[in-house]
């Protein structure tokens, strides 16, 4: 796990600026790799190529794992962030093909795989990665990101220059002037809570390489506008024809094998544990495959708050004989750390709930654990959350199963926090044409033009204010497979993107590698082909096949939970602890954003703090955006 950085530039003024500030940029991601640092320049005709790397040593702790790493023939150089979990199996294959190795690192295996198979190597990798390979013979630079977008890759492309980095602060260090704020992205974030679900960032001119994509750069013609290409896009047609029991057996085997692979490490391993089904399954899976390994768990405890999951975490810790580490946090602590967290995240985020995660990873580092396993991605993989009722209903309607759709809606609504009205509204909302979406937002009480927005400025900027785009286009979904097509979209850089960004930045802030064993292409490619009612049962049970698969491994009371909590934090309590004056100071950033009205921002937040208006996560997003532009001086 590391930080990567690179620049390709001709002899221009901006290129020389970037070259002069590479060490500054590398220092901006030093927290991602405190164990080693490398920066090398290669001159290739009319351009220079600089590759940089900061290393967090996880596999092969020796100096032999230094990057940039070069092939023995000298043709290829690589900078790599992430882990290739099946590196031992790939190394064995490559040895049989005549490849020789000097180190025990997965980086060298990845480089050899690229030499052997080129682009086809991507399909063989099981892991999380963002990497760039320089091919001196072909005069090309190849950049790739893992199937789910677990590891970050940002880039900026101009006529005579290409820059990339693991995090935005490193990239910004290479710009002579700050980029302007992306107004459409900011609006989508403030009103709809949307971000990290496309290549667009909050800054104009800076792109996130989408999950499961690669980008090839011809160094002979930097101006050639070649776009990222998708390399992973699994099938969602139903192809599994076995029984529910056999599917659960298959899933159990694939999940436990993924846990085995994710336990490969030369440094101590622990786990983030909330007490929910997903993180509990990871911890119990660790104990199942390694009966004697020491397990340290790290948990955020919401003492005295609704949604406190400590009792569930304790149940799991007791079963697996884990050493439990717990943290509680306050609004005052948030105030002390908020600027650091905003700086590390690089872009605004949905709510202060990720502060709990930030502190959990800090707790792991304080206890000497460098690698943690996490349950992230299970909801998008297994149709968790509320069970995607509208998507499941749409699949049934497409198949002409109207009676089954009626029965499903009734059964789904029997679970806590659900209703038949919501199920049918979720279905009908997917059929609304674009021009009707703004009206629909008013029906559900979501104002797209609050007083603190400068509507005239937004109109001049051409901002689209309609309902946030659907998770999947209907033409991407085979008939009767709308739910699985939606899950594929979520897994491939959709809704999952923001959660993975939070986890990566929060963990790497403390030089902790966070691994997500649910996000394994072997598991995803299997689950996307099973009958949809295996995922969300006809009785409305979410993650049905996985709950069944983990019987006997995870405590039954955990598997039988019907609530969905996640990292729940007392947002309004924390906001009040911060105090009106502190909030006002943070809102001063609105003066740097023509799309916002400062006085109206203050008025709305005062009413929320005073209890005159109900709390909404939009309040935090407003504060976060304003403070973000201050921290980054945008």
């Amino acid at each position: 796990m590391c930080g990567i950085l690179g620049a390709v530039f001709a002899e221009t003024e901006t290129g020389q600026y970037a070259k002069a500030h590479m060490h500054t940029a590398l220092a901006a991601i030093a927290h991602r790799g405190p164990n080693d640092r490398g920066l090398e320049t290669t001159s290739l005709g009319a351009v220079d190529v600089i590759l940089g790397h900061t290393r967090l040593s996880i596999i092969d702790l020796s100096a032999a794992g230094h990057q940039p790493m070069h092939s023995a023939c000298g043709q290829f150089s690589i900078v790599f962030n992430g882990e290739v979990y099946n590196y031992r199996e790939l190394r064995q294959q490559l040895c049989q093909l005549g490849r020789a190795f000097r180190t025990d690192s997965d980086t060298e295996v990845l480089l050899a795989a690229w030499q052997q198979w080129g682009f086809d190597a991507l399909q063989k990798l099981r892991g999380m990665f963002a990497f760039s390979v320089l091919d001196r013979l072909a005069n090309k630079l190849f950049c790739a990101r893992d199937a789910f977008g677990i590891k970050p890759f940002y880039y900026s492309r101009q006529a005579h220059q290409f820059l990339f980095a693991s995090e935005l602060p490193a990239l910004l260090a290479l710009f002579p002037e700050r980029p302007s704020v992306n107004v459409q992205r900011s609006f989508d974030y403030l009103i709809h809570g949307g971000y990290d679900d496309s290549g667009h960032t909050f800054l104009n001119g800076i792109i996130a390489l989408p999950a499961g994509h690669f980008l090839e750069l011809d160094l002979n013609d930097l101006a050639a506008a070649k776009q990222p290409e998708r390399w992973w896009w699994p099938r969602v047609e139903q192809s599994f024809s076995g029984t529910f029991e056999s599917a659960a057996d298959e899933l159990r085997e694939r999940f436990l094998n993924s846990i085995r692979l994710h336990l490969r490490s030369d440094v101590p391993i622990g786990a983030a544990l909330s007490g929910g089904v997903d993180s509990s399954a990871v911890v119990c899976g660790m104990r199942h495959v390694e009966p004697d390994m020491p397990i340290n768990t790290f948990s955020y405890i919401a003492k005295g708050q609704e949604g406190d999951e400590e009792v569930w975490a304790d149940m799991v810790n007791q079963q697996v004989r884990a050493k439990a580490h717990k943290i509680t946090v306050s609004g005052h602590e948030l105030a002390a750390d908020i600027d650091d967290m905003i700086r590390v995240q690089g872009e605004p985020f949905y709510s202060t709930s990720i502060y709990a995660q930030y502190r959990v990873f800090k707790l792991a580092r304080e206890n000497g654990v460098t690698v943690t396993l996490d349950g992230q991605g299970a909801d998008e993989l297994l149709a968790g959350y509320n069970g995607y009722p509208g998507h499941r209903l749409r699949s049934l309607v497409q198949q002409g199963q109207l009676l089954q759709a009626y029965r499903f809606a009734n059964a789904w609504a029997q679970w806590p926090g659900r209703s038949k009205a919501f199920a049918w509204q979720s279905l009908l909302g997917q059929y609304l044409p674009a021009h009707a979406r703004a009206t629909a937002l008013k029906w559900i009480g979501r104002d797209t033009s609050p007083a603190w927005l400068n509507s005239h400025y937004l109109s001049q900027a051409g901002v689209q204010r309609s309902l946030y785009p659907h998770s999947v286009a209907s033409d991407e979904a085979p008939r009767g497979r709308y739910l699985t097509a939606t899950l594929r979209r979520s897994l491939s850089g959709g809704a999952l993107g923001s959660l993975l960004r939070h986890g990566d930045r929060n963990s790497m802030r403390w030089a902790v590698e966070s691994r997500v064993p649910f996000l394994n292409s072997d598991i995803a490619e299997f689950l996307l082909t099973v009958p949809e009612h295996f995922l969300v049962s006809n009785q409305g049970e979410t993650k049905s096949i996985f709950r069944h698969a983990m019987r006997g491994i995870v405590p039954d009371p955990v598997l039988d939970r019907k609530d969905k909590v996640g990292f729940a934090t007392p947002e309004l309590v924390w906001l009040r602890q911060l105090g009106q004056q502190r909030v006002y100071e943070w809102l001063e950033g609105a003066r740097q954003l023509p799309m916002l009205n400062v006085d109206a921002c203050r008025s709305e937040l005062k009413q929320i703090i005073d209890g005159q208006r109900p709390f909404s996560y939009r309040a935090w997003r407003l504060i976060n955006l304003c403070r973000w532009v201050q921290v980054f001086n945008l």
Side-chain angles (χ1 to χ4, degrees):
M1 186 65 63
C2 311
I4 61 174
L5 178 72
V8 181
F9 53 88
E11 291 296 323
T12 63
E13 184 176 341
T14 56
Q16 290 305 309
Y17 183 91
K19 184 177 182 179
H21 290 81
M22 289 298 290
H23 285 285
T24 302
L26 203 59
I29 51 174
H31 55 277
R32 296 186 68 92
N35 302 128
D36 190 20
R37 185 181 301 191
L39 190 66
E40 297 181 9
T41 302
T42 300
S43 294
L44 294 172
V47 300
D48 284 347
V49 180
I50 301 180
L51 297 179
H53 184 263
T54 62
R55 184 186 182 199
L56 176 61
S57 302
I58 302 293
I59 293 174
D60 188 349
L61 308 185
S62 73
H66 177 81
Q67 296 184 43
M69 184 177 286
H70 313 290
S71 62
C73 64
Q75 180 179 347
F76 299 98
S77 296
I78 188 172
V79 284
F80 161 50
N81 168 31
E83 299 288 351
V84 177
Y85 301 119
N86 63 332
Y87 74 100
R88 294 176 185 169
E89 291 78 6
L90 290 176
R91 179 181 174 131
Q92 185 176 8
Q93 291 181 42
L94 290 163
C95 285
Q96 292 172 350
L97 294 170
R99 297 285 174 183
F101 292 88
R102 307 184 306 273
T103 76
D104 292 324
S105 71
D106 58 337
T107 304
E108 188 181 14
V109 172
L110 174 57
L111 183 56
W114 188 261
Q115 288 180 265
Q116 184 69 39
W117 297 303
F119 167 82
D120 292 338
L122 293 173
Q123 298 291 344
K124 300 177 183 292
L125 305 177
R126 297 295 178 268
M128 53 183 182
F129 54 82
F131 67 85
S132 185
V133 174
L134 172 63
D135 185 336
R136 291 177 175 80
L137 187 60
N139 230 29
K140 290 183 177 181
L141 187 73
F142 186 94
C143 309
R145 196 173 180 200
D146 65 71
F148 306 100
I150 305 168
K151 293 291 99 187
F153 191 101
Y154 293 100
Y155 70 92
S156 174
R157 190 170 191 170
Q158 300 174 17
H160 303 289
Q161 180 174 287
F162 178 80
L163 309 173
F164 70 86
S166 293
E167 296 184 7
L168 284 179
L171 208 54
L172 290 177
L174 303 178
F175 283 82
E177 298 179 357
R178 292 293 197 195
S180 59
V181 174
N182 185 322
V183 180
Q184 180 69 62
R185 180 83 292 184
S186 299
F187 175 85
D188 291 340
Y189 165 72
L190 288 173
I191 302 302
H192 305 300
Y195 61 106
D196 285 332
D197 51 6
S198 70
H200 300 292
T201 71
F202 282 80
L203 294 173
N204 289 315
I206 296 182
I207 306 298
L209 182 62
H213 281 67
F214 70 88
L215 179 64
E216 189 176 68
L217 191 70
D218 185 351
L219 303 183
N220 294 316
D221 186 7
L222 290 181
K226 201 168 186 179
Q227 297 302 308
E229 297 181 44
R230 188 185 295 280
W231 68 265
W232 190 75
W233 190 242
R235 298 175 62 85
V236 297
E237 292 83 1
Q238 181 179 325
S239 59
F240 183 82
S241 57
T243 64
F244 181 79
E245 290 284 348
S246 64
D249 291 342
E250 176 71 16
L251 176 57
R252 182 188 306 111
E253 183 179 343
R254 290 180 184 239
F255 177 70
L256 293 177
N257 184 57
S258 184
I259 293 289
R260 289 188 188 94
L261 290 177
H262 282 72
L263 290 177
R264 289 178 172 176
S265 170
D266 294 331
V267 295
I269 292 182
L273 174 64
S274 69
V277 172
D278 310 332
S279 64
S280 297
V282 170
V283 173
C284 292
M286 292 168 66
R287 173 58 70 221
H288 186 80
V289 302
E290 290 289 349
D292 300 318
M293 76 172 290
I295 296 179
N296 287 268
T297 64
F298 303 92
S299 305
Y300 162 71
I301 304 301
K303 284 286 188 184
Q305 300 293 327
E306 182 180 357
D308 183 0
E309 296 187 279
E310 185 174 16
V311 62
W312 303 104
D314 286 345
M315 184 184 299
V316 172
N317 284 322
Q318 183 176 3
Q319 173 160 312
V320 304
R321 308 181 308 281
K323 182 178 181 181
H325 308 267
K326 302 175 182 179
I327 187 74
T328 59
V329 295
S330 70
H332 301 297
E333 291 172 294
L334 171 65
D337 289 334
I338 188 64
D339 283 356
D340 181 67
M341 190 166 67
I342 288 175
R343 188 175 296 107
V344 167
Q345 285 293 319
E347 297 181 89
F349 42 91
Y350 189 81
S351 77
T352 58
S353 65
I354 79 160
Y355 180 58
Q357 185 188 61
Y358 172 96
R359 291 293 298 277
V360 163
F361 287 122
K362 181 182 181 183
L363 183 65
R365 168 51 69 181
E366 290 171 345
N367 284 275
V369 171
T370 309
V371 173
T372 62
L373 270 60
D374 191 288
Q376 198 65 266
D379 287 302
E380 291 75 15
L381 190 69
L382 292 154
Y385 299 119
N386 66 4
Y388 295 77
H391 303 83
R392 180 72 186 108
L393 286 169
R394 184 166 181 173
S395 289
L396 291 169
V397 170
Q398 287 177 339
Q399 293 172 315
Q401 298 184 29
L402 302 184
L403 179 59
Q404 180 59 45
Y406 174 79
R407 290 173 174 169
F408 171 78
N410 288 346
W412 178 88
Q414 300 306 307
W415 292 62
R418 303 178 184 179
S419 69
K420 287 184 283 187
F422 181 83
W424 293 112
Q425 287 171 4
S426 298
L427 172 64
L428 295 174
Q430 296 176 49
Y431 289 97
L432 282 177
H435 66 271
R437 294 175 188 171
T439 302
L441 284 171
K442 294 180 180 178
W443 289 348
I444 62 177
R446 187 188 295 178
D447 183 9
T448 60
S449 299
W452 40 264
L453 274 182
N454 184 337
S455 294
H456 178 68
Y457 176 83
L458 294 178
S459 297
Q460 287 187 319
V463 170
Q464 174 58 252
R465 302 193 214 182
S466 64
L467 189 63
Y468 204 57
H470 296 318
S471 59
V472 59
S474 58
D475 59 357
E476 293 179 354
R479 189 171 186 82
R481 300 290 289 176
Y482 197 78
L483 171 60
T484 48
T486 299
L487 296 179
R488 175 177 62 181
R489 173 63 65 182
S490 296
L491 289 167
S492 303
L496 183 61
S498 58
L499 302 177
L500 292 175
R501 188 248 285 186
H502 302 160
D504 174 81
R505 306 309 188 279
N506 280 336
S507 61
M508 294 309 297
R509 164 62 180 87
W510 306 107
V512 171
E513 175 175 290
S514 176
R515 296 179 174 181
V516 282
F518 278 102
L519 296 180
N520 180 312
S521 56
D522 288 334
I523 297 176
E525 289 165 6
F526 170 69
L527 285 172
L528 291 174
T529 65
V530 303
E532 290 190 346
H533 69 271
F534 284 13
L535 303 174
V536 183
S537 75
N538 292 331
Q539 290 71 45
E541 181 183 56
T542 63
K543 307 176 185 175
S544 185
I545 185 176
F546 186 70
R547 294 175 195 261
H548 190 78
M550 299 307 289
R551 294 288 175 187
I553 298 176
V554 177
D556 284 348
V558 174
L559 293 175
D560 293 335
R561 289 187 63 179
K562 294 185 176 182
D563 56 332
K564 171 66 181 177
V565 178
F567 263 152
T569 51
E571 309 277 345
L572 181 56
V573 173
W574 285 2
L575 189 60
R576 286 173 173 160
Q577 287 178 348
L578 291 174
Q580 184 174 303
Q581 186 58 42
R582 175 64 66 87
V583 171
Y584 278 7
E585 291 173 4
W586 289 352
L587 289 177
E588 282 298 298
R591 300 190 187 281
Q592 297 166 241
L593 295 170
M595 66 183 291
L596 296 179
N597 180 315
V598 179
D599 292 336
C601 289
R602 286 186 168 190
S603 176
E604 172 141 335
L605 267 296
K606 183 179 186 302
Q607 291 177 47
I608 291 174
I609 292 173
D610 292 344
Q612 299 172 2
R613 182 191 290 258
F615 176 80
S616 165
Y617 284 111
R618 190 183 294 185
W620 163 253
R621 297 198 296 267
L622 183 58
I623 294 171
N624 192 180
L625 184 69
C626 291
R627 188 56 180 162
W628 173 70
V629 299
Q630 290 176 303
V631 169
F632 282 94
N633 191 29
L634 300 169

